[in-house]
Amino acid sequence: MVESFFDKKTECLTIKIKGRFDYSCHKTFKEAFTAFNAVKYYEVNLAEVTYLDSSALGMLLLLRDHAGGEKAVIRLVHVNGVVIDTLKIANFHRLFDITE
């Protein structure tokens, strides 16, 4: 499940994912980050993610491209052990700010 919240004051879009982060989330994840225009910062909350696959990695890359590529400010927050291991194996710590 994907939920999103845009804070107009900080211009930060928070996307929270619960359960499996896989292809079944593709449509709602993409809608979450394309629904707002005035976003300067993105935060993806992965605290409740129980599973992450290669399609989830692809969706994070789509978000990064949408947000401006190398200039994008995207934080992956509350990342649990299994998820952080997958992100590090894929070298995503070089593309995103990741915090546990």
Side-chain angles (χ1 to χ4, degrees), residues 6 11 13 32-40 42 66:
F6 180 65
E11 298 177 311
L13 175 65
F33 68 78
T34 57
F36 302 95
N37 294 325
V39 180
K40 286 191 178 179
Y42 295 82
H66 174 80

Side-chain angles (χ1 to χ4, degrees), residues 83-98:
V83 173
I84 202 162
D85 289 344
T86 303
L87 293 172
K88 285 183 179 177
I89 288 168
N91 287 316
F92 271 48
H93 59 286
R94 296 180 182 185
L95 303 174
F96 299 93
D97 180 17
I98 301 174

Side-chain angles (χ1 to χ4, degrees), residues 29-67:
F29 185 78
K30 188 173 181 182
E31 288 171 351
F33 68 78
T34 57
F36 302 95
N37 294 325
V39 180
K40 286 191 178 179
Y41 310 101
Y42 295 82
E43 184 174 278
V44 182
N45 186 325
L46 301 172
E48 297 182 47
V49 171
T50 58
Y51 174 81
L52 178 117
D53 68 3
S54 61
S55 62
L57 299 177
M59 286 183 268
L60 291 171
L61 292 174
L62 287 174
L63 169 60
R64 186 173 184 261
D65 288 344
H66 174 80

